[in-house]
Amino acid sequence: MSANLEELVEDSVLLQCRVNGKACEREIQPGTSLLDFLRDELRLTGTHMGCMTGHCGACTVMLDGQVAKSCITLAATVQRRQITTIEGLKGADGKLSPVQQAFWDEAGFQCAFCAPGMLLAATELLRDNPDPSEDDIRRAIAGNLCRCTGYQSIVRAVKAAARVQRSAG
Ligand code: FES
């Protein structure tokens, strides 16, 4: 092993966290983004790589239940935290969550590049506000850009998911 590689290995950090409910422990480099950790180490490629500057929202995940941009979050800063990715939204029975189902039913997806971030933002919104106004929905998804500009369908899908969740009680 070259000296440089040895130094890099010595500088690694032991990351312990939970991802989609499962305990996870990995040696990582301190500069690794949470996005790279999820995609490259854990192969959770549903979290998309877009602008890499915190603007587009394609890389959105939840950290302890709050949406966060994984491209601008260092993996080393999520020690002992709970991370939820798009892969973790479906139920234990494998069924789509109400929000996922509503996006499917209401054509909330076009190319679907923005979908993971939109779904997580909508999930957080409906957890905190079961009956959001259209303005509430637009504010909640404001950090997520849809490059197909399919916002009308996305807002309709979030409204439909809210109705389903309320009727389920
Ligand atoms: Fe993270 Fe765009 S890839 S916000």
Side-chain angles (χ1 to χ4, degrees), residues 48-59 69 71:
H48 288 161
M49 184 182 291
C51 65
M52 302 299 285
T53 58
H55 290 96
C56 76
C59 66
K69 308 270 175 71
C71 72

Side-chain angles (χ1 to χ4, degrees), residues 35-97:
L35 175 62
D36 285 343
F37 173 69
L38 293 170
R39 288 180 59 88
D40 299 342
E41 287 288 325
L42 304 187
R43 302 290 174 206
L44 293 172
T45 54
T47 304
H48 288 161
M49 184 182 291
C51 65
M52 302 299 285
T53 58
H55 290 96
C56 76
C59 66
T60 301
V61 297
M62 278 188 188
L63 285 180
D64 296 333
Q66 305 295 314
V67 291
K69 308 270 175 71
S70 64
C71 72
I72 53 170
T73 302
L74 287 174
T77 66
V78 302
Q79 288 286 8
R80 289 174 292 285
R81 297 184 73 182
Q82 304 265 0
I83 300 148
T84 306
T85 69
I86 187 64
E87 290 88 348
L89 274 196
K90 64 180 183 298
D93 56 3
K95 286 194 178 153
L96 298 179
S97 74

